[in-house]
Amino acid sequence: MPAELAAGYCGEPSVESFMIRVGHEYPHPCISEGRRKLWLKDDLDQAILPPETQRVRDAAADF
């Protein structure tokens, strides 16, 4: 999803406030081509979920 939707999805009041937190609280976009930046919903879900409810990533699934 583009930054505008990602910001709203994460509950940020503006795109600017969302972008300030990217790389710290929120993940970097999965697609970053020039001005085009897109985030995956699953990545944002992991960032906004409480730590005790986050899923553990299975490294074996990457192979």
Side-chain angles (χ1 to χ4, degrees):
M1 64 182 74
E4 295 82 11
L5 288 176
Y9 185 76
C10 292
E12 292 294 335
S14 67
V15 174
E16 292 79 18
S17 62
F18 172 74
M19 293 303 292
I20 288 170
R21 292 184 167 98
V22 167
H24 304 286
E25 295 177 39
Y26 303 124
H28 289 284
C30 67
I31 296 175
S32 184
E33 300 169 347
R35 294 177 58 190
R36 183 176 184 217
K37 296 181 183 350
L38 299 174
W39 283 261
L40 291 176
K41 180 182 174 289
D42 288 343
D43 292 345
L44 295 174
D45 284 343
Q46 289 304 303
I48 61 178
L49 285 173
E52 61 273 3
T53 60
Q54 291 180 354
R55 64 182 146 98
V56 175
R57 185 173 168 90
D58 183 9
D62 293 336
F63 295 105

